[in-house]
Amino acid sequence: MKALFYKTVDSTQSVVVREMERGADVPLFVLAEEQTTGRGRKGQPWVGARAQNVYLSAGFHPLLTPTAMQPFTLRMGLAICRAINANLGVLLQLKWPNDLYFEGQKVGGMLAESVIREGLIADLIFGIGLNVNQTTFPSLESRPISLAQILGKPLELKHVAESLMQTIFEAYNNFIAAPDAEWTDEWAELDYLCGKNIIMLVDNTTLVGTAQGVTPLGELRVATPNDIVLVRAGTFVKIE
């Protein structure tokens, strides 16, 4: 397991992409103290303080079909959430599809990007941004919070990063060994959205309903007055 450490990068995701294009061995981990153009889901910018949080990406060659890989990010999030809870004695939850929450506030987010060749996902780049020691945030739109704020004390950033890398490494190997393994029951135990009334934009259409967990393929189940809708991607407008 190779790891590269940087003071400042444009994006840890981009560094992994460039290294893999050069033929770097995998698994490859890239960790940075600061990102100048970090990105999250749907190209949204990920902004965080220097040397206070974990900015981490990992590169793999899964060689599985896109369908088989569909629940990958959710299963990785589940493994990470469970590990953080066990190691730190906190109770983080999972907000579909890729966020870590604590009592309605965002602690971290994940992103998976891939390259498909001959019908298989040949290159996979998985990234996570985790608020660790930051206590002030430039934007409060996502109601951010850090582990230090939750615990009331700063954490050793190096230890948190090393633990995350090990968790990601093990979770990836577990996924590749058993991509069809059952995981939704464990997700249900940490599901932030389940039972909440939501409004979403899905394919430019407004969806109103109640979140009712996830499917084995990672789709969000939304109960509407007339049906159960399975959502693969969407943007939340309101959660209550």
Side-chain angles (χ1 to χ4, degrees), residues 41 60 86 185 228:
R41 185 167 171 262
F60 304 98
D185 288 344
I228 298 291

Side-chain angles (χ1 to χ4, degrees), residues 39-119:
R39 63 182 182 273
R41 185 167 171 262
K42 294 187 176 181
Q44 294 295 315
W46 182 275
V47 180
R50 183 178 184 274
Q52 293 187 39
N53 304 317
V54 170
Y55 311 114
L56 173 66
S57 294
F60 304 98
H61 294 316
L63 299 179
L64 292 176
T65 66
T67 299
M69 292 295 295
Q70 194 170 317
F72 176 79
T73 303
L74 281 77
R75 282 181 57 180
M76 294 295 284
L78 176 60
I80 290 168
C81 188
R82 287 170 60 90
I84 292 173
N85 288 349
N87 292 338
L88 299 181
V90 296
L91 183 55
L92 302 189
Q93 291 180 288
L94 294 152
K95 175 178 169 286
W96 182 92
N98 62 339
D99 288 334
L100 298 170
Y101 264 48
F102 178 79
E103 296 183 355
Q105 294 183 263
K106 185 173 178 176
V107 184
M110 292 154 285
L111 173 67
E113 299 173 309
S114 61
V115 175
I116 298 175
R117 299 191 190 97
E118 298 181 359

Side-chain angles (χ1 to χ4, degrees), residues 140-207:
L140 299 179
E141 183 177 345
S142 62
R143 301 189 66 218
I145 191 172
S146 68
L147 293 174
Q149 290 175 309
I150 295 169
L151 294 168
K153 62 180 181 181
L155 285 78
E156 175 57 52
L157 199 59
K158 182 174 182 288
H159 176 74
V160 174
E162 289 175 346
S163 178
L164 264 179
M165 285 191 284
Q166 186 62 37
T167 297
I168 291 169
F169 178 72
E170 293 175 359
Y172 172 81
N173 287 333
N174 289 339
F175 182 92
I176 295 301
D180 296 327
E182 164 57 34
W183 58 278
T184 57
D185 288 344
E186 291 183 359
W187 177 281
E189 296 174 2
L190 299 170
D191 191 343
Y192 170 74
L193 287 178
C194 190
K196 288 183 169 59
N197 296 320
I198 60 174
I199 301 175
M200 299 181 69
L201 288 178
V202 180
D203 296 328
N204 296 318
T205 300
T206 300
L207 175 65

